[in-house]
Amino acid sequence: MSQLSKPDREQLRAKYPDVFDRPAASRLATPAMIVAAFAVFIFGLVDLDFSPAKLFAGLNQLGWITLMMIPPDPGASLPAYLSALGETLSIALLGTTIAAVVALPFSLLAARNVIPSGWLRFPVRRAFDSIRGVDTLIWALVWINVVGLGPFAGVLAIALSDFGAFGKLFSEAIEAADRKQVEGIRASGGNALHEIRFGLMPQVLPVIAGQVLYFIESNTRSATIIGIVGAGGIGLQLAEQIRVLEWQKVSFLILMILVAVAAIDWISGKLRFAIIGQRAVA
Amino acid sequence: MARPFFEFGPGQNAAMTSAVSILPGAQLAVLNAAYRAAVARKRLRLALAAAAFLAALVVAALGAEVNLRTLFTYFGNFISYFDRILTLEDGTRVWSNPTEWFWGWRKWLWMLAETILISYVGTMIGAVLAFALNFFAAQNTSPAPWLRFVIRRLLEFARTVPGIVFALIFVIAFGLGPMAGVLAIAIHSTGALGKLFSEIVENADMKPVEGVRSTGASWLSCMRFAVLPQVAAGYASYALLRFEINVREASVMGFVGAGGIGQELVVAIRKFYYSDVSAILVTIIVTVFIIDIATGWLRGRLFGGDARA
């Protein structure tokens, strides 16, 4: 180690000017960004009426609420809650299935390798984006206006907002498909429908099945909340119990939701594993 | 019916190109039988799975009170609903008179700004909390297994309970207003980001940690000087993505009284102010587009193309 010559600072400085003499703009960029982000944060706290007094009063209140939640107790309405949970699972399953079935043909229209011309593809994509830009809860409110209160509005709300998501995901899966198999079908004399059925679908379907299962899982979560605006399921019960301050029932309902979501996660994880194998489970 | 590809006898050989060699009949029969059996088994499994799925669908349809016959009439209503929200009170189409359509743009833009601010502040609080917790939740950096277990369950709880449920409870605890919305978004983001952050840490290279540890550094120094430089870019990328999601979430917080433009929207929908509904929806969609594009651009700028995922 002693043979190592002492580094010549001047020489290094001349050799690597980028390291030693970074321009002020690049040195200040990161701190400036952090300061700006923090400033907006502080402005937000002030603008949104955050005050320590309010925060502590609220936390105190929250502490009491938490204490009142223990122990979770459904009272006499356990059967009603169980059927509401069943309704929620039904909403998730039906909504996702309808969305997948309807979205598949439309996603073909949005895939570059099926419809090369932008005339059709572009508006279809923007339609998917617009539908996705609106939250499921908003769609639930709209559907309630159309079909009235109840789980059917929830099914349609989930179906519509998933239609936007599936359209995008499916068309991306189709675009990622291997071109060679389609060319093989065409070379052997197949028409455009044959190309889609025998060239694209066998590659795309496992990916799509995995995505649909994942959405059924995540829609169990969405379906729990659309009840809050009146679209059926366990969210309706939850919102009602919160409004009448029955905290033991609230905590029981939340526990039910957690258990149901965990169970669905587990089942769909197994199924996805069986359909597409470990590497694509992500 | 399962028809094997190469089911032709030696007699047909003349019609084929001579390059294709044909196996002897006996050997071929065995292969064909095996192929048929394999296809039949696969089809049976597929048919069983499809039948189970259909049965589940029927049960679900009964449970959710779905009536296929009324679906079509309802669908007509849905289309006509859009027809109505795109019509002004004087019966003309909304785009023929934009000033009438967006009559309340000053108020709506203000509430929209509040919505974005709610999601920004909520994302910041959530990201900071997730940052503080994630090193304890990651397998390779957690100081103790029991601590890791506790933190992971906490994060799981925070992200499984929907944000709007937190908002409902916080509205009662903290009173009506944006504060409840911010805290609800913050808690939900903590859960979601905590998981993603800890996954980044688990993928980090542990050699720098060993290097820092070998100099006698504490756990905190190991995190600061060995792990953080590897993971900071990923953190920022995920936090931006979360901000994007939270804008959507904040737009509905107003439904339960937790601030933002949702309040205006729910009033417009419930009171059948048709053209207002479409105007607010358009404002929300355009804002979400702009924020998607802006954060996408920012992530691309900050972390290069590969950090987009």
Side-chain angles (χ1 to χ4, degrees):
Chain A
M1 291 307 268
S2 60
Q3 286 169 359
L4 206 67
S5 63
K6 216 173 172 195
D8 180 3
R9 215 183 153 81
E10 289 311 310
Q11 205 179 333
L12 282 175
R13 192 182 276 269
K15 203 168 168 191
Y16 302 107
D18 293 351
V19 179
F20 284 91
D21 296 309
R22 280 165 69 201
S26 99
R27 259 183 303 160
L28 289 178
T30 312
M33 246 161 46
I34 292 173
V35 167
F38 196 68
V40 175
F41 178 68
I42 297 292
F43 169 77
L45 285 184
V46 173
D47 189 65
L48 299 174
D49 293 333
F50 269 71
S51 70
K54 212 173 145 189
L55 192 64
F56 283 117
L59 284 177
N60 189 22
Q61 190 91 351
L62 201 60
W64 279 112
I65 290 174
T66 315
L67 281 182
M68 280 190 282
M69 280 184 176
I70 302 169
D73 177 20
S77 30
L78 184 60
Y81 292 170
L82 282 178
S83 83
L85 188 64
E87 204 171 272
T88 298
L89 297 182
S90 306
I91 291 172
L93 182 65
L94 270 182
T96 318
T97 313
I98 294 176
V101 169
V102 180
L104 189 57
F106 282 94
S107 68
L108 289 173
L109 298 183
R112 190 191 303 268
N113 49 357
V114 180
I115 307 282
S117 107
W119 280 106
L120 195 55
R121 193 157 42 87
F122 195 73
V124 172
R125 294 215 143 175
R126 290 293 85 77
F128 286 147
D129 288 347
S130 308
I131 293 172
R132 264 183 306 123
V134 176
D135 196 273
T136 314
L137 269 185
I138 299 176
W139 286 127
L141 273 177
V142 170
W143 277 114
I144 285 171
N145 258 2
V146 175
V147 305
L149 291 169
F152 192 41
V155 171
L156 294 173
I158 291 217
L160 187 59
S161 71
D162 275 13
F163 171 72
F166 278 151
K168 177 180 193 293
L169 288 174
F170 289 180
S171 65
E172 277 168 5
I174 291 169
E175 283 180 354
D178 193 350
R179 190 78 208 140
K180 294 195 189 92
Q181 305 181 23
V182 180
E183 279 163 9
I185 303 289
R186 184 177 302 165
S188 64
N191 63 23
L193 267 181
H194 287 140
E195 281 171 29
I196 291 172
R197 164 67 186 84
F198 296 103
L200 279 178
M201 283 302 140
Q203 299 183 57
V204 172
L205 276 181
V207 181
I208 286 181
Q211 279 163 350
V212 170
L213 272 172
Y214 175 73
F215 266 76
I216 290 179
E217 188 183 320
S218 86
N219 278 336
T220 319
R221 259 165 266 210
S222 315
T224 57
I225 59 169
I226 51 177
I228 289 171
V229 295
I234 201 162
L236 192 61
Q237 303 279 353
L238 186 63
E240 269 172 17
Q241 299 309 321
I242 290 177
R243 277 184 197 128
V244 297
L245 309 179
E246 288 273 6
W247 294 113
Q248 289 184 323
K249 290 184 179 172
V250 170
S251 60
F252 186 82
L253 282 167
I254 291 179
L255 275 183
M256 270 177 83
I257 292 174
L258 291 183
V259 170
V261 168
I264 298 281
D265 272 16
W266 186 79
I267 295 172
S268 93
K270 289 269 169 202
L271 278 177
R272 267 190 290 159
F273 192 81
I275 292 177
I276 45 180
Q278 191 170 16
R279 89 202 130 71
V281 166
Chain B
M1 49 166 236
R3 216 170 69 109
F5 271 136
F6 37 89
E7 195 176 19
F8 31 73
Q12 287 166 290
N13 203 2
M16 301 298 296
T17 52
S18 54
V20 180
S21 62
I22 299 300
L23 290 169
Q27 217 173 331
L28 205 60
V30 174
L31 286 177
N32 280 338
Y35 176 78
R36 282 205 193 88
V39 169
R41 202 163 352 139
K42 209 172 154 192
R43 292 206 170 151
L44 183 68
R45 270 174 62 189
L46 193 66
L48 282 180
F53 188 68
L54 273 181
L57 274 188
V58 170
V59 171
L62 292 178
E65 301 166 18
V66 169
N67 188 339
L68 275 185
R69 206 182 311 146
T70 49
L71 175 66
F72 291 102
T73 48
Y74 280 147
F75 199 74
N77 287 357
F78 184 64
I79 303 288
S80 74
Y81 186 78
F82 276 88
D83 177 52
R84 269 172 285 158
I85 65 173
L86 293 176
T87 309
L88 287 174
E89 270 168 17
D90 55 10
T92 52
R93 283 284 168 227
V94 282
W95 43 82
S96 64
N97 193 351
T99 45
E100 178 70 22
W101 188 20
F102 286 97
W103 65 273
W105 64 273
R106 227 178 269 275
K107 183 174 60 174
W108 293 333
L109 278 188
W110 191 245
M111 310 219 56
L112 206 60
E114 186 181 87
T115 309
I116 295 173
L117 212 52
I118 287 174
S119 62
Y120 179 79
V121 175
T123 313
M124 277 287 261
I125 297 177
V128 169
L129 286 180
F131 177 76
L133 293 177
N134 81 89
F135 293 113
F136 300 104
Q139 195 164 16
N140 49 351
T141 58
S142 185
W146 66 266
L147 190 64
R148 169 166 177 258
F149 182 82
V150 171
I151 300 277
R152 282 188 92 101
R153 293 294 90 75
L154 263 181
L155 293 177
E156 221 160 67
F157 175 78
R159 76 170 172 273
T160 311
V161 177
I164 198 123
V165 173
F166 281 123
L168 267 174
I169 296 174
F170 289 171
V171 161
I172 291 172
F174 293 91
L176 289 168
M179 192 168 168
V182 169
L183 292 175
I185 286 184
I187 289 205
H188 195 70
S189 305
T190 307
L193 285 178
K195 178 183 187 243
L196 293 172
F197 284 7
S198 69
E199 274 169 7
I200 302 182
V201 169
E202 279 171 1
N203 285 329
D205 188 1
M206 287 306 276
K207 288 189 195 107
V209 180
E210 281 164 26
V212 175
R213 169 138 292 164
S214 68
T215 64
S218 68
W219 181 83
L220 203 63
S221 307
C222 284
M223 294 303 116
R224 164 67 187 84
F225 294 105
V227 180
L228 193 58
Q230 297 184 53
V231 298
Y235 282 8
S237 178
Y238 274 132
L240 274 173
L241 200 64
R242 191 73 224 172
F243 170 64
E244 216 175 293
I245 298 169
N246 282 344
V247 172
R248 254 165 260 211
E249 180 129 353
S251 68
V252 298
M253 282 293 167
F255 288 10
V256 297
I261 195 152
Q263 186 78 49
E264 285 291 309
L265 182 62
V266 80
V267 168
I269 293 181
R270 290 239 163 99
K271 294 192 173 168
F272 301 100
Y273 298 153
Y274 287 118
S275 63
D276 285 13
V277 173
S278 61
I280 296 175
L281 279 182
V282 165
T283 339
I284 292 179
I285 292 175
V286 168
T287 312
V288 168
F289 271 3
I290 292 174
I291 291 202
D292 274 15
I293 292 169
T295 54
W297 176 82
L298 197 60
R299 277 187 293 148
R301 248 330 263 286
L302 286 177
F303 318 110
D306 54 0
R308 273 161 186 271

